[in-house]
């Protein structure tokens, strides 16, 4: 076996044979096939007795075959890369040659001018076509199989493919066309039980609810490649994922940010990467009406506050796709704004934009921006959002979140902005912390201002729309980057409570829903997003540890932080929802407030912020938002 392998490695390390060699090999196959056919039909004794005449007649047949090979270019292909197309050409050429031989024999019957003695029958000519074709096919298949077996890396991984229809087949073809070979396909996993036991491309299909991991271990499979059309379904197969991780079988998926495969263009396994925890969080596909969004934003002046943050940056990226006339990008963080400017220059050089480093609380500067640029749409993402930080700094929660939102909202009305979309949080529902309450106060202000405009109490045309959603994967301060860093350092992973759960959504998905809500909003609505299934944080931590390959990372429970809930809500108990045309977006029905009262309360709250009395500030916040009940915080004393 070692000798065969050495010979194969020596041969396949060389360049492809010259096409003249292939023509000679095919000719030899035809010639020898002729002897074999004669032997089958007439026996060995007859073959020996008529060897000269048989040879002469086979040479005549071979000349016809060679002319047919030349017509169909069967010898121009590289045998080790043979495909079904090449096999078809071989069959076409031998069939054409057979017709030529039959015509030639008819000529001989009537003239007798080129053969002394005719020994081959019509039956032998047909059988020669079959045997020669099969032999030439076998030669190509054997060489290709040997090439696939011995050519390439010495560390070839045995793999299964999750999905056996279009995506899985395209992936399998990509593997087989790779040079040098890195993966050897050993089977498919199907979500359709009717395919179980079938064979595709020479490999067996298994059902994904059976003990497929045991089969994979039996065949020493080291990786599972997930079809691009099955990524979402695979993420829901928690037990299978856990079994794969436990068996140390790598999971390779297409990146979530990759362009969705349409099933028509070629697919490459080169894009596959090892799975990350974000890929395994169960979530449903989110579709938005891109045409409506494009119609709303194309050729418009758009302002984004908090533009350098994780949500703001993605908002800028998605809005830029619709070719707005101009973008005014506002944030107080200098370095992230510099990065944003470079991103715009690199990716959206055709979009006119201004990157402005300022705070939304700088009323004079913000008015100058509104006066100069007159934005038609404002997406307000600027906010202080970290719960423990705002629990310790309620002054800044009031000044930045509450007062900053009011400044931007009032200026939007003053300068005729068409639509103001505020990005809120699920922590504003039944708030248990200062940050969540500050965002709820922002919601109340925007809603009451919209109501005042509709009722004619405030002159303006601006429509105010609020969007609520939970945690986004990859955002600044998100738990996943923190866990990754803790694992990298060897642990421990710190989890506040064994029962704490959170909703998660990808940043691009959240921003798409913000844009969709912005298009459907008529003013005054609070849109709540369906965040899917909640995730237990300790389970998230355990799975990240398993994926990392580390087995000795400890999970340490640190206790709930100030103002932290065990679970987040998107709607309060007192609220009801109405559906929209988008299944992932609901309208929250909340109590309405009088604009003058809201305005007066906010002015009083702002005055308190300059007294730097945290208890007095939070007490006023609780008066504005009665459902605000502090948890794990010094402010719990105010609820007694």
């Amino acid at each position: 076996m070692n000798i065969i392998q050495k010979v194969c490695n020596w041969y396949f390390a060389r360049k492809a044979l010259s096409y003249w060699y292939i023509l000679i090999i095919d000719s030899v196959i035809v010639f020898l096939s002729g002897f074999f056919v004669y032997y089958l039909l007439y026996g060995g004794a007859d073959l020996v007795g008529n060897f000269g005449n048989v040879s002469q007649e086979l040479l005549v047949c071979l000349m016809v075959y060679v002319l047919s090979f030349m017509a169909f270019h069967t010898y121009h292909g590289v045998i080790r890369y043979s495909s079904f197309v090449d096999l078809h050409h071989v069959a076409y050429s031998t069939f054409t040659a057979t017709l030529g031989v039959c015509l030639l024999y008819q000529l001989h019957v009537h003239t007798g001018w080129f053969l002394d003695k005719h020994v081959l029958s019509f039956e032998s000519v047909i059988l020669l076509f079959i045997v020669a074709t099969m032999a030439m096919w076998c030669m190509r298949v054997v060489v290709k199989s040997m090439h696939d077996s011995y050519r390439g890396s010495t560390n070839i991984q045995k793999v299964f493919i999750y999905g056996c229809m279009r995506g899985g087949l395209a992936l399998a073809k990509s593997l087989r066309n790779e040079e040098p070979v890195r993966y050897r396909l050993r089977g498919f996993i199907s979500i359709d039980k009717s395919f179980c036991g079938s064979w595709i491309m020479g490999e067996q299909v298994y059902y994904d609810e059976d003990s497929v991991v045991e089969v994979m271990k039996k065949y020493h499979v080291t990786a599972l490649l997930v079809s691009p059309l099955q990524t979402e379904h695979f993420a829901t197969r928690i037990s299978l994922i856990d079994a794969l991780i436990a068996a140390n079988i790598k999971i390779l998926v297409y990146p979530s940010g990759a362009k969705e495969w349409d099933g028509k263009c070629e697919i490459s396994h080169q894009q596959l990467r090892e799975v990350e925890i974000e890929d395994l969080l169960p979530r449903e596909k989110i579709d938005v009406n891109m045409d409506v969004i494009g119609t709303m934003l194309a050729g418009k002046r758009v302002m984004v506050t908090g533009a350098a943050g994780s949500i703001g940056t993605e908002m800028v990226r998605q809005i830029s796709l619709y070719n707005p006339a101009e973008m005014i990008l506002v944030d107080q963080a200098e370095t992230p704004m510099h990065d944003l400017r470079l991103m715009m220059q690199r990716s959206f050089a055709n979009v006119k934009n201004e990157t402005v480093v300022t705070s939304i609380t700088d009323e004079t500067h913000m008015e100058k921006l509104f006066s100069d640029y007159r934005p038609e749409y404002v997406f307000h993402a600027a906010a202080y959002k970290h719960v423990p930080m705002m629990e310790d700094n309620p002054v800044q929660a009031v000044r930045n979140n509450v007062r900053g939102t009011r400044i931007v909202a009032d200026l939007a009305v003053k300068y005729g902005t068409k639509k103001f979309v505020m990005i809120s949080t699920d922590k504003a529902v039944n708030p248990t912390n200062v940050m969540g309450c500050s965002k709820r106060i922002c919601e109340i202000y925007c809603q009451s201002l919209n109501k005042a405009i509709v009722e004619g109490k405030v002159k303006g045309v601006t429509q105010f729309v609020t969007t609520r959603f939970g945690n986004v994967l990859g955002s600044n301060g998100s738990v996943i980057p923190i866990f990754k860093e803790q694992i990298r350092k060897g642990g421990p992973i710190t989890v506040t409570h064994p029962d704490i759960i959170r909703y998660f959504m990808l940043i691009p998905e959240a921003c798409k829903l913000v844009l969709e809500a912005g298009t459907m909003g008529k003013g005054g609505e609070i849109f709540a997003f369906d965040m899917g299934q909640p995730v237990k944080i300790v389970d998230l931590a355990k799975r990240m540890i398993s994926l990392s390959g580390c087995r000795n990372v400890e999970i340490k429970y640190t206790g709930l932080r100030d103002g932290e809930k065990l679970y987040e809500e998107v709607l309060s108990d007192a609220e009801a929802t109405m559906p929209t045309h988008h299944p992932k977006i609901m309208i929250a029905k909340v109590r309405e407030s009088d604009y003058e009262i809201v305005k007066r309360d906010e002015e009083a709250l702002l005055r308190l912020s300059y007294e730097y009395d945290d208890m007095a500030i939070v007490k006023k916040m609780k008066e504005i938002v009665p459902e605000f009940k502090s948890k794990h915080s010094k402010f719990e004393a105010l609820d007694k």
Side-chain angles (χ1 to χ4, degrees), residues 263-331:
K264 298 177 182 177
C265 60
E266 289 188 3
I267 193 173
S268 172
H269 67 281
Q270 305 286 356
Q271 295 175 277
L272 289 167
R273 58 159 172 76
E274 285 200 44
V275 72
E276 295 181 357
I277 191 64
E278 293 90 337
D279 304 307
L280 300 182
L281 294 177
R283 59 183 182 271
E284 297 177 5
K285 182 179 178 182
I286 293 177
D287 295 311
V288 299
N289 193 330
M290 309 300 283
D291 294 335
V292 174
I293 295 172
T295 301
M296 181 181 81
L297 297 176
K300 303 297 192 303
R301 298 179 301 278
V302 181
M303 174 183 283
V304 180
T305 68
S310 48
I311 292 293
T313 299
E314 182 62 24
M315 291 296 301
V316 171
R317 185 180 292 110
Q318 292 194 18
I319 292 170
S320 297
L321 295 172
Y322 302 109
N323 297 312
E326 188 171 14
M327 296 191 70
I328 306 92
L329 312 178
V330 179
D331 203 295

Side-chain angles (χ1 to χ4, degrees), residues 183-394:
Y183 302 105
R184 182 166 302 148
L185 181 61
R186 290 310 307 267
F188 293 89
I189 300 176
S190 172
I191 65 173
D192 187 345
K193 195 168 186 177
S194 64
F195 283 97
C196 183
S198 303
W199 290 74
I200 298 177
M201 297 180 66
E203 305 297 340
Q204 192 169 351
V205 180
Y206 301 88
Y207 183 43
D208 81 330
E209 293 186 9
D210 293 335
S211 302
V212 290
V213 176
E214 294 303 317
V215 177
M216 295 170 77
K217 288 194 292 186
K218 174 184 174 183
Y219 289 118
H220 304 291
V221 170
T222 58
L224 175 67
L225 280 52
V226 181
S227 159
L229 299 181
Q230 297 298 335
T231 305
E232 292 170 21
H233 183 273
F234 178 75
T236 67
R237 300 288 291 115
I238 305 300
S239 58
L240 174 60
I241 292 168
D242 289 341
L244 289 167
I245 293 173
N248 203 28
I249 296 174
K250 290 191 293 185
I251 303 170
L252 302 181
V253 299
Y254 280 81
S256 55
K259 184 178 179 182
E260 184 176 340
W261 187 58
D262 59 6
K264 298 177 182 177
C265 60
E266 289 188 3
I267 193 173
S268 172
H269 67 281
Q270 305 286 356
Q271 295 175 277
L272 289 167
R273 58 159 172 76
E274 285 200 44
V275 72
E276 295 181 357
I277 191 64
E278 293 90 337
D279 304 307
L280 300 182
L281 294 177
R283 59 183 182 271
E284 297 177 5
K285 182 179 178 182
I286 293 177
D287 295 311
V288 299
N289 193 330
M290 309 300 283
D291 294 335
V292 174
I293 295 172
T295 301
M296 181 181 81
L297 297 176
K300 303 297 192 303
R301 298 179 301 278
V302 181
M303 174 183 283
V304 180
T305 68
S310 48
I311 292 293
T313 299
E314 182 62 24
M315 291 296 301
V316 171
R317 185 180 292 110
Q318 292 194 18
I319 292 170
S320 297
L321 295 172
Y322 302 109
N323 297 312
E326 188 171 14
M327 296 191 70
I328 306 92
L329 312 178
V330 179
D331 203 295
Q332 63 180 343
E334 180 209 13
T335 299
M337 280 297 276
H338 175 67
D339 295 337
L340 180 63
R341 173 181 285 185
L342 294 179
M343 186 270 286
M344 293 298 292
Q345 291 173 353
R346 181 177 61 252
S347 303
F348 302 102
N350 61 314
V351 177
K352 184 179 179 182
N353 66 90
E354 297 292 334
T355 47
V356 183
V357 178
T358 191
S359 170
I360 57 172
T361 61
D362 188 339
E363 189 169 1
T364 303
H365 196 179
M366 291 303 298
E367 176 141 24
K368 179 77 163 56
L369 294 178
F370 272 89
S371 175
D372 289 348
Y373 298 107
R374 307 279 172 151
E376 298 168 87
Y377 291 88
V378 173
F379 291 89
H380 178 49
Y384 286 148
K385 65 180 182 178
H386 293 290
V387 169
M389 290 297 294
M390 292 302 99
E391 205 69 13
D392 293 336
N393 297 274

Side-chain angles (χ1 to χ4, degrees), residues 464-498:
F464 286 87
V465 175
T466 298
T467 60
R468 279 183 191 164
F469 51 88
N471 301 278
V472 287
L473 296 171
S475 65
N476 297 331
S478 172
V479 68
I480 289 178
I482 294 173
F483 284 176
K484 285 181 178 179
E485 180 65 15
Q486 290 174 336
I487 292 172
R488 188 183 66 81
K489 292 180 178 179
I493 282 185
T494 55
V495 179
T496 58
H497 193 281

